[in-house]
């Protein structure tokens, strides 16, 4: 992107304390909520880069509280890895805004932040190997472990009831009843699929599992894997780090790291839960998380994959029925395609859930 192609992005990049001349800023990544840019600065012949983000404040209604969470979490994690020679790549580092603090608010009322760009590591939109599943899960488990002793106060809920699946289900029922976009007739098989599994929504609510500091958006493209070693270098996308259940994080890993198809794959014959990937994922997660998980939490892991895949599926369906107001779409019916992929994966998990439980119990 030419710099003069988007003045607000260039102005936002310059609002952070980065030395040198801004030479470029281009859209980056494939997230559904925020807008991310990679900005490049040049000074005395050398380059530095940052990851600049416009926070979607229609979804994250309190960016100040959100950034308070992220500052506390990154400071805590930074102290935990202080002795690691690779510490600068292990934890996200916020760049201060020139006007103070870590947020820049522009003339249009948009909220911006910037992170130091982590080099020599890559995110993957779909898992490619069992080792990637292992490494991603190990990193997310380590992330939870390092945050287990985050000092009080409790983190802010950046989106209340984020993984309260019964409330997500109620929102779906409301969207069906309202049919504001006139799309109910287009999604009848998916609606029937969801309604037939209403009882699944309550699987973990009220189970008495302990509240922890969790990531809550552990899809595989939210962890950077090292280009040389394949190890999970850095857990990213911290907007939803808040109190939650360990199982929610494990469930979203099952959703995105045990199926090689993309989240929006239209050829449903490619969508299935691959047991060897699940085994690697469970081993990777427990290699770090077994140090703090209670027996009841460990017991909850196997069902979590089905639950969270179902939950994200009903969220995509709700958004499709509501006229695509939440998730960014790139084609008509994109949210319906995403929903179909999730529901196909739910079916695949259902066929293997006994074996999944047995495998986790044996670890
Ligand atoms: P979103 O909320 O839109 O998913 P993310 O925070 O996940 O945004 O960032 C989008 C993409 O940008 C990520 O998938 C990753 O590839 C890349 N990314 C994010 N933070 C960094 C960073 N500090 N260094 C390098 N790449 C990053
Ligand atoms: C969104 O921001 P991104 O793309 O990492 C969503 C997650 C969903 C995910 C599905 C704040 O994550 O909950 O699981 O899309 N984030 C928010 O791909 O709603
Ligand atoms: Mg992301």
């Amino acid at each position: 992107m030419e710099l003069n192609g988007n003045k607000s992005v260039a102005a936002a990049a310059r609002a952070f304390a980065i030395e040198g001349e801004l030479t470029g800023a281009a859209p980056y990544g494939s997230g559904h909520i925020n807008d991310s840019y990679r900005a490049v600065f040049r000074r005395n012949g050398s380059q530095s880069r940052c990851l600049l983000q416009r926070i979607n404040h229609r979804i994250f209604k309190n960016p100040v509280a959100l950034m308070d969470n992220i500052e506390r979490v990154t400071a805590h994690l930074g102290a935990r890895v202080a002795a690691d020679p690779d510490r600068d790549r292990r934890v996200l580092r916020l760049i201060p805004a020139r006007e103070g603090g870590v947020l820049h608010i522009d003339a249009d009322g948009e909220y911006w932040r910037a992170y130091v760009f982590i080099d020599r590591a890559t995110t993957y939109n779909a898992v490619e190997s069992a080792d990637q599943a292992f490494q991603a899960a190990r990193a997310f488990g380590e992330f939870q472990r390092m945050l287990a002793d985050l000092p009080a106060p409790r983190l802010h809920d950046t989106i209340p009831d984020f993984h309260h699946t019964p409330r997500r289900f109620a929102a779906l029922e409301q969207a069906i009843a309202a049919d504001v976009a006139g799309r109910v007739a287009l999604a009848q098989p998916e609606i029937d699929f969801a309604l037939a599994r209403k009882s699944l929504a309550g699987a973990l609510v009220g189970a008495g599992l302990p509240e922890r500091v969790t990531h809550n958006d552990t899809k595989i493209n939210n962890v950077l894997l090292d280009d040389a070693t394949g190890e999970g270098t850095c857990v990213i996308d911290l907007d939803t780090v808040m109190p939650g259940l360990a199982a929610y994080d494990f469930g979203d890993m099952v959703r995105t790291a045990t199926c090689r198809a993309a989240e929006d794959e239209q050829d449903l014959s490619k969508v299935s839960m691959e047991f060897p990937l699940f085994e690697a994922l469970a081993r990777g997660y427990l290699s770090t998380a077994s140090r703090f998980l209670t027996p009841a939490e460990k017991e909850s892991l196997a069902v979590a994959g089905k639950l969270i895949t179902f939950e994200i599926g009903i969220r995509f369906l709700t958004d499709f029925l509501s006229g695509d107001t939440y998730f960014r779409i790139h084609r008509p019916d994109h949210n319906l395609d995403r929903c179909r992929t999730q529901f196909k994966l739910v079916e695949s998990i259902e066929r293997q859930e006994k074996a999944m439980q047995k495998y986790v119990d044996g670890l």
Side-chain angles (χ1 to χ4, degrees):
M1 183 184 77
E2 292 300 318
L3 270 181
N4 56 9
N6 194 334
K7 289 200 178 93
S8 67
V9 177
R14 292 193 185 97
F16 290 89
I18 306 165
E19 298 204 10
E21 183 202 347
L22 179 69
T23 58
Y28 199 74
S30 51
H32 301 334
I33 311 290
N34 295 320
D35 298 308
S36 302
Y37 302 86
R38 185 171 61 180
V40 183
F41 296 78
R42 193 182 302 279
R43 186 178 180 231
N44 300 334
S46 70
Q47 260 193 7
S48 60
R49 301 191 288 181
C50 83
L51 199 284
L52 179 71
Q53 291 183 315
R54 186 194 292 118
I55 300 170
N56 184 334
H57 63 87
R58 285 154 285 277
I59 287 178
F60 295 106
K61 298 211 161 45
N62 188 343
V64 173
L66 180 154
M67 292 306 287
D68 181 54
N69 279 0
I70 294 181
E71 281 191 273
R72 287 177 55 204
V73 163
T74 54
H76 188 79
L77 295 173
R80 283 317 190 82
V81 302
D84 186 330
D86 205 21
R87 59 186 168 270
D88 290 344
R89 298 173 66 243
R90 295 284 315 280
V91 175
L92 282 180
R93 270 199 300 155
L94 286 162
I95 302 172
R98 292 188 190 277
E99 69 235 40
V102 289
L103 265 178
H104 164 65
I105 306 171
D106 72 14
D108 299 324
E110 296 293 345
Y111 292 79
W112 297 83
R113 69 168 166 234
Y115 289 113
V116 174
F117 196 90
I118 296 175
D119 289 308
R120 294 172 282 117
T122 304
T123 52
Y124 297 83
N125 284 334
V127 66
E128 293 171 356
S129 67
D131 190 54
Q132 282 185 350
F134 179 92
Q135 298 293 352
R138 185 179 171 84
F140 282 123
E142 178 75 352
F143 179 88
Q144 290 181 339
R145 191 183 69 76
M146 291 194 291
L147 289 170
D149 61 350
L150 182 78
R154 190 176 182 272
L155 291 174
H156 307 284
D157 289 302
T158 57
I159 299 180
D161 296 327
F162 192 62
H163 282 302
H164 194 295
T165 318
R167 294 206 178 116
R168 296 291 191 183
F169 198 91
L172 171 64
E173 290 178 319
Q174 277 163 22
I176 297 168
D179 196 14
V180 291
R183 294 178 172 177
V184 161
L186 303 173
Q188 205 53 56
E190 290 71 31
I191 291 171
D192 292 343
F193 183 98
L195 295 179
R197 285 163 181 77
K198 182 170 183 172
S199 63
L200 170 59
L204 291 182
V205 170
L209 295 165
E211 183 178 275
R212 296 187 178 279
V213 175
T214 49
H215 184 282
N216 296 303
D217 189 5
T218 54
K219 60 178 172 180
I220 188 147
N221 72 6
N222 282 331
V223 58
L224 285 160
L225 302 182
D226 188 276
D227 290 338
T229 66
E231 284 169 29
T233 305
C234 185
V235 167
I236 60 169
D237 205 342
L238 306 180
D239 297 322
T240 52
V241 178
M242 59 182 154
L245 303 186
Y248 296 152
D249 280 0
F250 186 74
D252 210 16
M253 293 179 224
V254 173
R255 180 179 79 86
T256 59
T258 70
C259 170
R260 286 175 210 258
E263 183 179 73
D264 58 356
E265 175 60 58
Q266 289 172 281
D267 178 355
L268 294 183
S269 71
K270 294 186 178 153
V271 180
S272 67
M273 207 283 288
E274 292 185 34
F275 208 80
L277 295 181
F278 177 75
E279 290 175 342
L281 187 86
R283 278 190 288 107
Y285 180 62
L286 289 173
S287 72
T288 42
S290 63
R291 288 151 77 176
F292 63 83
L293 290 179
T294 65
E297 282 177 299
K298 190 173 166 224
E299 177 74 22
S300 73
L301 297 180
V303 74
K306 183 171 69 161
L307 175 70
I308 295 298
T309 308
F310 182 60
E311 180 192 278
I312 311 291
I314 64 179
R315 289 178 61 198
F316 286 142
L317 180 56
T318 304
D319 200 34
F320 174 72
L321 297 177
S322 309
D324 308 311
T325 61
Y326 188 97
F327 296 104
R328 180 181 297 128
I329 56 165
H330 303 288
R331 58 179 188 250
D333 298 350
H334 204 166
N335 276 316
L336 184 58
D337 291 341
R338 289 168 174 153
C339 163
R340 287 182 174 144
T341 307
Q342 305 316 298
F343 286 176
K344 180 77 195 303
L345 190 54
V346 169
E347 282 179 333
S348 176
I349 295 173
E350 283 173 347
R351 283 196 295 274
Q352 303 179 73
E353 57 186 318
K354 286 204 179 70
M356 291 165 78
Q357 188 72 56
K358 200 170 157 207
Y359 185 77
V360 173
D361 289 347
L363 288 177

